[in-house]
Every structure is written in C-alpha cells, then in structure tokens.
Amino acid sequence: MLAVEHAESLAFVQEKFSVFYANHDLSVPDVHRREFGFGLHKKIDFRHKAFRTNAELNAYFRQNAPLFASYSTALYEFPDARPMEKKVFMGSDLVFDIDKPTRDFAHEHNEIFCVECFGRVKKDSMKIVDYLQDDFGFKGVAVNFSGNKGFHFHLRSQEIRGLSQDSRRQLTEYLTGPESIFIAGEEKGRDTDLRGPSEKTRGWGKKFFDYAFAFIELASVGELKEKGLRGRNAEEFFLRKKGVLELMREGKWRFAPKKFWDAIYAEFKNENGVGVDAHVTLDLARLIRIPGSLHGETGLAARVVEPGRLPEFALRDAVVFSAGEKTINVLPQIDIALDFPERLFLKKNEPCEVSLASGLFLMCKGKATLLLREKNW
Ligand SMILES: [Zn+2]
C-alpha cells in the first residue's frame, strides 16, 4: 500500500502535517523555475504546478498539507506549461538517489522499516559524498535524507545544469564502477596484449590500479593461487613480480590471464562501488522530494544534512512529532515488530497505545489505523 487509505487516519495525518507546515518554512532554490508535484493518495497525484516565490509555496503547504511533495530537478522558462515541451527546458540539477544497500548482507531484514539496511545506506552515502567532492571536485554538494530509506544528493551550480545526459550517465557509472576496465585482444582463444589502467590513469581506474598494485606487491604464492593462478603459473608470476609491477605501471597487464585480474577487480568493485538509482539521475523531467518536506510514507522530515555531518546523522533527527509519551491508540493491520521510531511489538487487530511519531509512522506505512487520537481531550 502506498499511502494512507483509511479515511480517519488520513485526516489525522494531514492535520498533523498541516501543524508542522504552519510552523516550518520550506525554501526551494530557484523556486520560480521549477515544476511541482503533490500527492495525497500516491506520491504524485498531480504535477505541473508552479510558484513564483517560496512564500507562495509555503502558503500552499499551509492550506493543503500534501502528504507527498516534489519538485523538478529541471529548471524551466514556464514551469507550469504543458505538455512538457512548452515548459522550455533551461538545464537540470544533477541529482543522485540511493535508497537501498548496494550489496546484500546477512541480517534479519525488517520489511516495514529496516534500521540495519539504513545503516548500510548511510555508509554508502558517505562514499558518494567523497566521490562527488574529492574525485569529481564538485563544490556545494547538498545532501538530504529522503524521508524514508535513503539520501538524495543535489548539485545546483550553473555549469552542472548544462551537463548532457551522457555525462550524467558517466558520472553514475563512476559511482557504481564500470563492469570491466580491461581491454584484451584475442588470438586462438587466448587473451593477448591485455591493457588496463596505468600509474597515470585517473579516477576510478587509478583507485583500482593502486589497489591491485598493492595486492601484487604483497601477495604470497598462496594468495596468488587463491585468486585463480594455477600451480606453476603462480610460482612463475611470483618470481617475476618486479617485472610484472613495472609493466602494470605502464598499463600492461598481460602477465596473468584476464580472468585473474577480473577476479581482483570484482573484489575491488564490491568494496568501492555504490549503487545509486540511475533513473533518478538520467531522467531530466524527474520530480524529487522537496528537502525539508514531510514524507507521506513515514511522517519523517526529509532533513537537509551538512555533507560533513552525515556520519552523525541518525533517523531520530528526522522525527518531528513526539516520540516520547504514548498518546494515541491504533489498530495494527498486521503483526508488527519495529525498532524505530520506538521499539514496538504489536499484534494484528489488538488495539495499542503508541507515541504520536510511531502512530503516524505506522498509519503512513498503511500498517495501522487510528482508533483514538491524543488523550488530552
Ligand atoms: Zn534490511
């Protein structure tokens, strides 16, 4: 279920959202150039809305308290014109979105909301910040919690707005890591003249070069065998190590079969690649959650986070409604075990008291309905 279906629960959630918006102003950069989309029943019920100022936008929130609110990463001459062609595209922010861990890992996954998965996503997000700032040299990376499972990264400078879709694809591939970085000729079924990154390569290739170089430099015969070199090949490789390293510096990797290097590369990619949702980056007509707005699937705020403060960011920082006292009564639609916003074990169809934050969270997730509102009647 995407949004709150139960009528009283929906009215209650909306009432709480409107209290939040009455006291919090949103600020959207270049607000007059963006298209907006809003939803009550799903993420986007309607779009093609536009506002001349942030004050107009905030007035809209106060009046309508949408459960979902997004804006276009693109800027337009006429943001409310339709169809799309009539908007007149003026460039688009560069946006990355991560909402699940890059790799599977052994843990007890929580289907309703998984704190462990979120921890992984946060670590991957820290890597993304490093890549954007250190490897690409981008300044002014704006980060916000998505309001649900992950993070968004926005780059809004003038130069970036002109980036082609192809450049955006290359940047995305850099974060994920290319499939392979070796080129080989082939003769009689054998690889010849295997080429790869050299000492002078930059970016991702250089990272891998350093990784592989360090591995070879320190590898024992046993470790070479573990990576797939057979018996005498491993010994010979080991004896010629100095020469192998010299060739590697020049980008020549022919001293071992491609399969061997591919295995080392796969390990490297596994440790360093991060899986962003490429659709979000490549779709230039995309609408994305407004930083600072509430997420209608959780009741959490899509908080803006200073890139350097990402390590300290905790889910509780996104909680805007009281998570302390148990003040409302809800009816769980299923058995529920939650660690966040509070630790709860609820049984299907057994009414129970929860905090406002947890109650809204469960209603927004469509896992509980409202029985009794706050107790201070
Ligand atoms: Zn999980």
Side-chain angles (χ1 to χ4, degrees), residues 107 109-110 114 117:
H107 71 293
H109 181 69
N110 187 321
C114 189
C117 280

Side-chain angles (χ1 to χ4, degrees), residues 101 105 107-111 113-118:
F105 64 107
H107 71 293
E108 215 171 294
H109 181 69
N110 187 321
E111 279 300 332
F113 191 81
C114 189
V115 172
E116 287 195 62
C117 280
F118 179 77

